[in-house]
Amino acid sequence: MATVPSLLHSTSSSFLPQFVSFHPPLSSRGNRHTNVVLPVKATAAGAAVLVEKSEAEKVNRLKTTYNDKIIPLLMEEFSYTNIHQVPKIEKIVVNCGIGDAAQNAKGLEAAMNDLAQITGQRPIKTRARASVATFKIREGQPLGIAVTLRGSMMYSFLDRVVNLGLPRTRDFQGVNPNSFDGHGNYSIGIKDQSVFPEIRYDAIGKPRGMDICITTTANTDQEAQRLLALMGMPFREGGGPATTVRRKKLKSHHFDAKSKGKGGKR
């Protein structure tokens, strides 16, 4: 599935549906007698073993892996002379569009709570910059929600997306490697937020997706792709899907018009 294996010890099969969330509900915080399920990893022989306790308790394991392992690899591969030339993730922007946000205030608040549980940070409302009469949109009307993650919260969210959210997606075969914008930034869309364990499938009325925009300091898309691949991003093998141009199907009256035109010229 992935072109480059992740440097983290936990793979996409390391997370089960009963995996404990990084952000437990408020009622369970402070309870020292809650049962904690450690993630498991698949070995070459097929047997499942527990991950070391010291590693499982690391909060910012992706950030630690980047500083200890990914930076030396990138410096050697791209021949960087300075450590500050190594590309890194600057920020992650998560946004979710809500079409009926103006008419459904309770739905907007529920969407904000769900996104806050997923990302660990309270989102803000995105409002229309101009009025569009065709779509019945007025200036200042709320259209969706967005949250910008930086620092440790950013690494924690990316770790959960790569190792927990994407593998639980239905019929997942890898992300498209052609979704870079040409400046080292990558965008990915998730159709259903219920792939995260914080969101219960029966609690949401209809499937709600979200867009994830990863901003890096890389100068080229190749450097950014290599950076994300080392962090465990499961890129699809063989490049992006082939785009086929559909030709318009001609009907009988098209051929009649052509034949009449040819006959008239004669």
Side-chain angles (χ1 to χ4, degrees):
M1 180 185 298
T3 56
V4 179
S6 172
L7 295 180
L8 295 177
H9 292 281
S10 60
T11 60
S12 59
S13 61
S14 303
F15 294 87
L16 302 177
Q18 64 268 23
F19 180 74
V20 177
S21 167
F22 284 175
H23 308 283
L26 297 177
S27 59
S28 63
R29 295 181 182 177
N31 188 2
R32 300 181 180 178
H33 301 284
T34 55
N35 295 328
V36 178
V37 180
L38 293 178
V40 298
K41 64 178 180 179
T43 60
V49 296
L50 290 177
V51 179
E52 293 80 1
K53 184 178 180 181
S54 59
E55 181 187 351
E57 292 178 351
K58 289 182 180 179
V59 180
N60 300 325
R61 60 172 185 171
L62 183 58
K63 185 177 181 180
T64 304
T65 304
Y66 171 77
N67 294 328
D68 298 343
K69 299 180 181 180
I70 297 180
I71 289 181
L73 288 176
L74 292 178
M75 291 189 66
E76 181 180 359
E77 182 175 351
F78 294 97
S79 301
Y80 295 126
T81 58
N82 193 335
I83 193 175
H84 297 289
Q85 295 178 344
V86 179
K88 62 181 179 179
I89 300 179
E90 186 177 1
K91 64 179 179 179
I92 296 180
V93 180
V94 183
N95 60 79
C96 176
I98 303 175
D100 57 346
Q103 294 79 15
N104 190 4
K106 292 183 178 180
L108 178 61
E109 188 65 23
M112 294 182 66
N113 294 333
D114 292 343
L115 192 60
Q117 291 182 4
I118 294 174
T119 60
Q121 184 173 320
R122 182 72 175 177
I124 62 173
K125 299 178 183 179
T126 56
R127 302 181 181 273
R129 298 181 180 179
S131 301
V132 182
T134 306
F135 300 101
K136 298 181 181 180
I137 296 177
R138 296 182 179 180
E139 184 179 357
Q141 177 181 344
L143 298 178
I145 54 180
V147 58
T148 302
L149 302 176
R150 302 176 188 270
S152 301
M153 195 70 67
M154 173 187 66
Y155 285 102
S156 177
F157 173 74
L158 181 61
D159 187 6
R160 297 175 63 253
V161 169
V162 170
N163 296 309
L164 182 60
L166 294 179
R168 294 183 59 182
T169 305
R170 191 177 217 178
D171 300 332
F172 180 71
Q173 297 180 355
V175 295
N176 188 4
N178 297 331
S179 297
F180 290 90
D181 63 346
H183 301 281
N185 304 321
Y186 187 72
S187 300
I188 184 176
I190 296 181
K191 297 182 179 179
D192 194 355
Q193 296 181 1
S194 61
V195 296
F196 295 93
E198 294 88 357
I199 308 301
R200 294 184 302 171
Y201 183 79
D202 55 349
I204 57 178
K206 57 181 180 180
R208 186 183 299 113
M210 61 181 183
D211 298 326
I212 302 174
C213 302
I214 304 175
T215 303
T216 67
T217 59
N219 296 325
T220 60
D221 293 343
Q222 290 76 13
E223 297 177 5
Q225 182 177 0
R226 181 61 175 171
L227 170 64
L228 295 178
L230 291 175
M231 288 187 172
M233 185 66 70
F235 289 105
R236 188 183 305 134
E237 295 181 357
T243 57
T244 58
V245 180
R246 295 184 178 180
R247 296 182 179 180
K248 185 177 181 181
K249 187 177 180 180
L250 298 179
K251 298 183 179 180
S252 58
H253 65 273
H254 291 122
F255 297 98
D256 295 338
K258 292 180 179 179
S259 61
K260 291 180 181 179
K262 291 181 179 180
K265 290 181 180 180
R266 291 180 182 178

